């Protein structure tokens, strides 16, 4: 996934798309060049947080917001039978191939759903919030979620091999 800076003068939708893709690419970049074992290495016991766990979690997040909420699909979680988003963090039995394939598939679904929406003002009911939310809010929420977890990825990567960078 190529990391391209968002446009400085794009319209709202182009800018939101670009920032979301920028943060997606940042997570992929933080995982480049590492072995499966390194990607699974947790931050600090008892936490199970790892780079691979972040990839799995973001696959769940993409799946939830774009497919379940915006598209109204009834889907199970990828890594939990109890609808637990936190279960994805435990990547101890996962591989780069499995996690990244699921994440990329969910990103492609998300892009398709977003592109098909008539506008950023399209809304969908969010059961956990008990109210409607716009596509605009969903995209901003995902940007926020990626930005927060990319901060975690910075620390995880630095602890593995000293690599730092924005």
């Amino acid at each position: 996934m190529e990391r391209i800076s968002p446009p400085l003068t794009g319209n709202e939708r182009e800018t939101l798309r670009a920032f979301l893709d920028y943060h997606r690419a940042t997570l992929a970049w933080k995982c480049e060049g590492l072995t499966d074992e390194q990607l699974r290495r947790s931050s600090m016991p008892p936490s199970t947080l790892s780079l691979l766990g972040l990839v799995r979690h973001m696959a769940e997040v993409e799946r939830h917001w774009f497919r379940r909420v915006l598209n109204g699909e009834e889907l199970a979680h990828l890594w939990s039978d109890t609808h637990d988003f936190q279960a994805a963090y435990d990547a101890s039995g996962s591989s780069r191939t499995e996690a990244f394939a699921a994440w990329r598939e969910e990103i492609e679904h998300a892009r398709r759903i977003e592109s098909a929406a008539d506008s950023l003002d399209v809304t969908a009911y969010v059961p956990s919030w008990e109210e409607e939310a716009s596509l605009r809010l969903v995209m901003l929420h995902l940007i926020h979620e990626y930005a927060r977890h990319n901060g975690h990825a910075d620390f995880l990567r630095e602890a593995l091999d000293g690599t730092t960078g924005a």
Side-chain angles (χ1 to χ4, degrees):
M1 199 177 293
E2 187 178 352
R3 201 168 85 137
I4 299 171
S5 294
L8 299 177
T9 59
N11 68 37
E12 183 181 16
R13 196 160 186 174
E14 291 169 336
T15 302
L16 289 172
R17 279 180 187 152
F19 266 99
L20 187 49
D21 279 341
Y22 176 84
H23 283 293
R24 288 167 172 155
T26 298
L27 182 56
W29 175 54
K30 291 294 175 181
C31 297
E32 282 181 6
L34 298 174
T35 66
D36 279 14
E37 189 277 322
Q38 288 172 310
L39 289 169
R40 283 190 299 266
R41 194 172 301 155
S42 62
S43 58
M44 180 186 303
S47 174
T48 60
L49 184 64
S50 67
L51 286 167
L52 205 55
L54 288 174
V55 170
R56 287 165 41 111
H57 175 71
M58 291 313 299
E60 291 284 18
V61 169
E62 296 263 6
R63 181 180 183 92
H64 175 73
W65 285 101
F66 285 97
R67 294 179 71 188
R68 284 193 197 102
V69 172
L70 289 172
N71 218 36
E73 297 177 44
E74 291 188 29
L75 299 168
H77 280 242
L78 294 165
W79 294 286
S80 172
D81 294 333
T82 61
H83 309 291
D84 179 7
F85 281 93
Q86 306 307 309
Y89 286 127
D90 183 0
S92 57
S94 188
S95 70
R96 170 193 299 273
T97 302
E98 175 253 352
F100 274 81
W103 181 50
R104 287 188 179 112
E105 182 178 333
E106 294 306 327
I107 289 170
E108 288 311 309
H109 283 293
R111 286 180 176 143
R112 178 185 49 76
I113 291 163
E114 182 273 321
S115 292
D118 290 336
S119 79
L120 293 172
D121 295 322
V122 168
T123 63
Y125 183 74
V126 182
S128 60
W129 295 351
E130 298 181 350
E131 58 186 295
E132 296 279 317
S134 67
L135 171 58
R136 176 184 295 101
L137 181 77
V138 168
M139 292 179 78
L140 285 167
H141 181 71
L142 266 283
I143 290 165
H144 162 80
E145 185 92 3
Y146 271 105
R148 188 163 49 99
H149 289 311
N150 282 338
H152 299 137
D154 284 338
F155 288 120
L156 289 164
R157 181 63 191 250
E158 185 176 8
L160 285 169
D161 65 3
T163 299
T164 60

